Amino acid sequence: MNTQVAEIALMFVLPLGITFVTILMSASAPTRNQKLLGTLLSLLLVAIDSIFYFMKNTIVTYNTDGGVLLAFASMFLFGILYVIRSEDSAAKAGNAIFAALMLAGFLGIAYWERPTFIIASDKSASEIAELNAKYQDYIQSFNNGEAAQEVDPSGTVARTGTYLSTGHASTAETYENAKPGSPEAAKGRLNSYINETDKVIDRMRTIAASIDDFELIPPNISEADREARSQQALAINNNATALNRKTLGLFHPHSASEAHSELIQATECLRLAAYSLYTYSLQENSEEQVKQYQQARDQLGQTKVYLGRFQNNIKNLISNYQPQQEDN
């Protein structure tokens, strides 16, 4: 619960709070020119917010890291507003330094700390492989303390999974010289994305199986046994939450945006199913137990629906590249 509160604060409360304060400060500016400049800054801030909240996972990944980036960008514009409103030189200098620090924090997180501010369509397949390697430690932080694994950007990624087999030894070798925006580069980005989603789907199936195998709790269970069952349900819930976060931060090509939204919905339904199961394990009221257990089953069914849609979308995307494969 504390983690969820922190996520809400970083993704919604902090960025939107800064936006509202900036708008109010713009409206209360003493001069007409300051009001006009403040209005322009406020419109720019609202535009940035709209990109984050309504164009999910296109430019900035829609997760807490993206929320932190949005907060730094908002504070930078807020600092610029105070530079405009300041009367004496000392105040202008102080607010300018504050704005510069906020901009440095934004750029540092976006480009050096974690590559979350990357337009994938401008990257070749080998460059995306290198970025995924750098991003791997961050992804592994959600994998229940498992050791991070290095990703070899030039390593073999020939498909042996569910969707596609390219017949090539290495995506990097095949597409590293592809011109950005070319069909070959787009095909390479899609292959890299499918490789990553296969890992997500494998974990989804493992978690779904754990929910399926979770036996009903008898009414006369002892406190010690109930505690053990609730800890089991909590572990499932933590795994589902971690997988949902990983999926939200997963890089994907623009062509797979619709498919990726289905995958996000699938992991979100799985997270809700696991949370209902955990709530079920804590309940002692029989009616509430039935309700929570049924919710877990319903959400698990929705997970399968969204996953099926994702797989169909991916198959359709792959079929778009089928002629190129046959020509090769």
Side-chain angles (χ1 to χ4, degrees):
M1 183 62 70
N2 291 336
T3 301
Q4 294 174 352
V5 172
E7 289 175 354
I8 292 173
L10 289 174
M11 291 180 66
F12 297 100
V13 178
L14 181 60
L16 292 178
I18 298 169
T19 299
F20 289 135
V21 171
T22 304
I23 294 173
L24 289 174
M25 295 305 296
S26 300
S28 64
T31 66
R32 181 173 179 272
N33 289 337
Q34 289 180 359
K35 287 181 184 290
L36 288 175
L37 291 173
T39 300
L40 292 176
L41 288 173
S42 298
L43 288 174
L44 180 59
L45 195 51
V46 171
I48 295 173
D49 291 343
S50 298
I51 290 173
F52 178 69
Y53 291 114
F54 299 111
M55 298 178 64
K56 299 178 180 179
N57 293 299
T58 54
I59 297 178
V60 180
T61 52
Y62 186 73
N63 55 19
T64 53
D65 283 338
V68 171
L69 283 175
L70 181 60
F72 271 103
S74 302
M75 291 299 290
F76 166 68
L77 294 178
F78 185 75
I80 295 297
L81 174 63
Y82 262 87
V83 171
I84 295 171
R85 293 195 56 175
S86 299
E87 297 292 338
D88 58 281
S89 300
K92 283 184 179 293
N95 289 315
I97 292 173
F98 172 78
L101 290 174
M102 294 302 101
L103 180 61
F106 172 81
L107 295 177
I109 295 175
Y111 290 100
W112 287 287
E113 180 65 19
R114 291 170 183 166
T116 57
F117 191 74
I118 293 172
I119 303 175
S121 60
D122 292 337
K123 302 293 181 181
S124 68
S126 59
E127 289 173 329
I128 289 179
E130 291 175 359
L131 290 171
N132 282 338
K134 295 176 182 177
Y135 201 58
Q136 194 67 20
D137 286 338
Y138 172 58
I139 292 175
Q140 288 293 336
S141 67
F142 297 117
N143 289 346
N144 305 318
E146 296 175 3
Q149 300 176 356
E150 287 293 327
V151 177
D152 184 2
S154 62
T156 299
V157 289
R159 299 292 300 148
T160 57
T162 308
Y163 307 118
L164 179 65
S165 178
T166 64
H168 299 296
S170 172
T171 298
E173 290 177 2
T174 306
Y175 300 110
E176 64 181 356
N177 296 322
K179 184 181 296 184
S182 66
E184 290 78 10
K187 182 179 175 182
R189 289 195 296 272
L190 180 62
N191 289 350
S192 298
Y193 172 69
I194 293 173
N195 278 328
E196 293 300 320
T197 58
D198 273 352
K199 301 173 187 176
V200 172
I201 292 172
D202 286 342
R203 290 192 64 198
M204 285 182 65
R205 289 172 176 162
T206 300
I207 296 170
S210 299
I211 296 175
D212 265 333
D213 295 340
F214 195 89
E215 298 179 354
L216 291 171
I217 299 176
N220 57 346
I221 190 172
S222 66
E223 286 299 323
D225 290 339
R226 179 181 293 278
E227 179 67 20
R229 297 298 302 279
S230 66
Q231 289 298 320
Q232 179 186 357
L234 178 61
I236 296 173
N237 177 65
N238 290 341
N239 289 337
T241 301
L243 182 62
N244 180 241
R245 290 174 181 167
K246 175 180 178 179
T247 307
L248 286 171
L250 194 65
F251 290 116
H252 66 279
H254 181 71
S255 61
S257 295
E258 183 177 350
H260 188 65
S261 65
E262 301 290 353
L263 184 63
I264 290 175
Q265 288 292 334
T267 58
E268 175 64 15
C269 288
L270 187 65
R271 184 189 69 81
L272 293 174
Y275 181 74
S276 295
L277 185 70
Y278 176 54
T279 304
Y280 160 75
S281 69
L282 298 176
Q283 290 292 332
E284 296 184 5
N285 182 281
S286 58
E287 294 182 0
E288 190 64 26
Q289 278 186 333
V290 172
K291 178 182 176 181
Q292 293 296 333
Y293 189 79
Q294 187 59 45
Q295 283 184 359
R297 306 300 303 180
D298 292 344
Q299 292 292 346
L300 198 58
Q302 286 296 313
T303 300
K304 296 175 182 178
V305 171
Y306 283 115
L307 183 57
R309 293 178 183 174
F310 167 78
Q311 291 171 330
N312 288 334
N313 286 338
I314 289 296
K315 288 177 182 177
N316 291 335
L317 288 173
I318 291 171
S319 67
N320 293 336
Y321 297 104
Q322 200 64 35
Q324 287 91 330
Q325 291 179 13
E326 291 174 356
D327 291 342
N328 292 335

